[in-house]
Amino acid sequence: MKAAIVGVTGYTGIELIRLIQQHPQLEVGTLHSHSMHENSSVLYPHLIGLTERLIEPFDAEKIQKENQLVFFATPAGISKELAATFVANDFPVIDLSGDLRLKDRDSYQKWYHQEAAPAELLAQATYSLPEFATTPGNLIANPGCYATAAILAAAPLVQQKLFSGTLIFDGKSGLSGAGKKLTDSSHFATAADNMTMYKPNQHQHIPEIMQQFQQWDQAMPPIQFSTSLLPVKRGIFMTLYAPIKDAISQEDIYEQYVKTYQDHPFVRVQPLGKLPELRQVTGTNFCDIGICFNPLTQVLTVVAVIDNLGKGAAGQAIQNFNRWAKIPETTGLMQAPLYP
């Protein structure tokens, strides 16, 4: 099955090529970019001998003629304009941007600061965090990277109402999460040997997280959410601080995490008391989770680590493809982490 990639020159698009190359039922199809039209191996020499295709301007008709599905690896604001043609023809779309994640159009406009997708397009989109989603249809909204880590970190607590008070999330991302466009914050002189916080309580993944939590608990209170840049290339280190209700033990909480994820191969709950490191998921579609509990403060610390380009983007998109195609969701995704 051939898959087109729109927005192929970004980090997520390049990661999709890498994953499709090793997938037994997918083949790299046509490649598309708004501004960069060159052979893929000229722009990216690491693809020589692997994927040497011309990167072309967007052409919906050609994509549908020469492929069986399309991945949108574009910035926010693009797929909501381009996907309608495919949806009208019932052509499968997996959108890795934020355009189709939020069902509330006003919420999208508030957090993304632009016009939302048409209501009829949003109504057809399935927000698909694979561990908790139903089998998706032909229009899949792939979750955001911070949202993936935060939801997986907190799901057992929210679903079982084990906490009391405010959930506090502290997310830290590698620089590839900021995209390829150079800014002062991503400049080597700023990022190296440094850590900077950005968008505290203003990150666009917050409403996405709340949308999922409120499906489990309509009375879910607002969350505290901060994000920072780490001087590493890839990865998200999400720390959750959760005030736990009285009379709930660490063992009970741990048992709930194990039970929640025991049938989900890409979420690896660490032994009790063991917290994961970022590098143990680099280059993979895994989310590793560990917990520790302070009985003096009744606060649970949860650490969830993912590769922002893997489980946070392209890897999860392939996982969603697998579920859509009704093949084992691990197909093409069981890479060992890059270590060291």
Side-chain angles (χ1 to χ4, degrees):
M1 181 176 285
K2 286 188 176 181
I5 304 174
V6 179
V8 71
T9 56
Y11 290 133
T12 299
I14 298 166
E15 186 75 355
L16 277 170
I17 288 180
R18 183 178 77 87
L19 295 175
I20 292 172
Q21 276 290 131
Q22 56 200 20
H23 196 286
Q25 296 193 34
L26 275 178
E27 179 184 343
V28 174
T30 56
L31 305 178
H32 304 270
S33 170
H34 173 70
S35 58
M36 301 174 71
H37 307 136
E38 181 61 89
N39 189 288
S40 56
S41 64
V42 172
L43 288 175
Y44 301 104
H46 71 284
L47 296 177
I48 293 174
L50 296 171
T51 301
E52 301 191 40
R53 290 181 175 272
L54 179 65
I55 300 174
E56 308 172 68
F58 175 79
D59 185 333
E61 183 176 348
K62 180 172 184 174
I63 289 171
Q64 293 175 86
K65 182 179 179 180
E66 298 186 15
N67 306 273
Q68 284 73 54
L69 76 152
V70 59
F71 292 95
F72 277 92
T74 49
I78 295 177
S79 63
K80 65 186 174 70
E81 303 292 340
L82 301 184
T85 298
F86 300 95
V87 174
N89 293 328
D90 203 27
F91 190 88
V93 173
I94 299 179
D95 180 26
L96 285 77
S97 81
D99 282 1
L100 305 178
R101 295 172 187 160
L102 300 180
K103 294 300 184 182
D104 188 313
R105 298 183 75 247
D106 291 339
S107 183
Y108 179 91
Q109 290 167 199
K110 172 185 175 181
W111 291 90
Y112 285 84
H113 310 293
Q114 54 183 298
E115 186 72 20
E120 56 270 23
L121 194 63
L122 294 174
Q124 296 182 65
T126 301
Y127 180 79
S128 185
L129 181 59
E131 286 70 23
F132 301 111
T134 57
T135 302
N138 278 358
L139 182 58
I140 299 172
N142 210 58
C145 52
Y146 277 123
T148 294
I151 293 169
L152 292 175
L157 305 179
V158 178
Q159 289 176 329
Q160 303 303 320
K161 298 179 172 60
L162 301 179
F163 72 99
S164 175
T166 300
L167 295 183
I168 301 173
F169 293 88
D170 179 17
K172 301 177 179 67
S173 174
L175 286 166
S176 59
K180 287 179 63 181
K181 186 176 180 181
L182 184 63
T183 64
D184 180 66
S185 62
S186 62
H187 195 286
F188 178 83
T190 303
D193 304 317
N194 194 18
M195 190 181 90
T196 55
M197 183 177 288
Y198 67 102
K199 292 186 177 180
N201 298 308
Q202 298 177 34
H203 198 280
Q204 65 271 18
H205 289 180
I206 294 173
E208 180 183 341
I209 296 165
M210 289 300 299
Q211 177 178 262
Q212 182 63 59
F213 287 169
Q214 287 170 344
Q215 288 185 13
W216 295 327
D217 181 2
Q218 292 184 351
M220 178 73 191
I223 61 174
Q224 180 79 15
F225 195 85
S226 63
T227 48
S228 302
L229 282 179
L230 291 173
V232 299
K233 289 180 287 188
R234 50 200 297 167
I236 284 181
F237 194 101
M238 179 66 67
T239 309
L240 163 62
Y241 303 101
I244 298 300
K245 292 180 178 178
D246 293 339
I248 301 175
S249 70
Q250 176 176 248
E251 289 72 22
D252 290 339
I253 298 168
Y254 182 73
E255 181 180 345
Q256 192 60 53
Y257 272 84
V258 172
K259 181 179 179 182
T260 299
Y261 294 119
Q262 62 186 355
D263 296 324
H264 299 290
F266 290 115
V267 181
R268 304 188 297 190
V269 179
Q270 308 296 284
L272 186 58
K274 173 72 174 176
L275 299 179
E277 300 178 5
L278 194 58
R279 64 178 177 175
Q280 68 190 56
V281 297
T282 304
T284 78
N285 194 54
F286 291 114
C287 173
D288 287 1
I289 297 177
I291 71 169
C292 65
F293 181 61
N294 185 343
L296 299 178
T297 60
Q298 204 68 15
V299 171
L300 179 75
T301 299
V302 184
V303 172
V305 292
I306 64 171
D307 186 319
N308 59 291
L309 298 178
K311 184 62 170 165
Q316 187 149 254
I318 299 297
Q319 187 181 357
N320 272 320
F321 162 77
N322 291 342
R323 296 178 69 250
W324 171 84
K326 296 181 174 59
I327 61 178
E329 65 182 298
T330 57
T331 303
L333 287 173
M334 292 304 286
Q335 300 87 7
L338 301 174
Y339 192 93

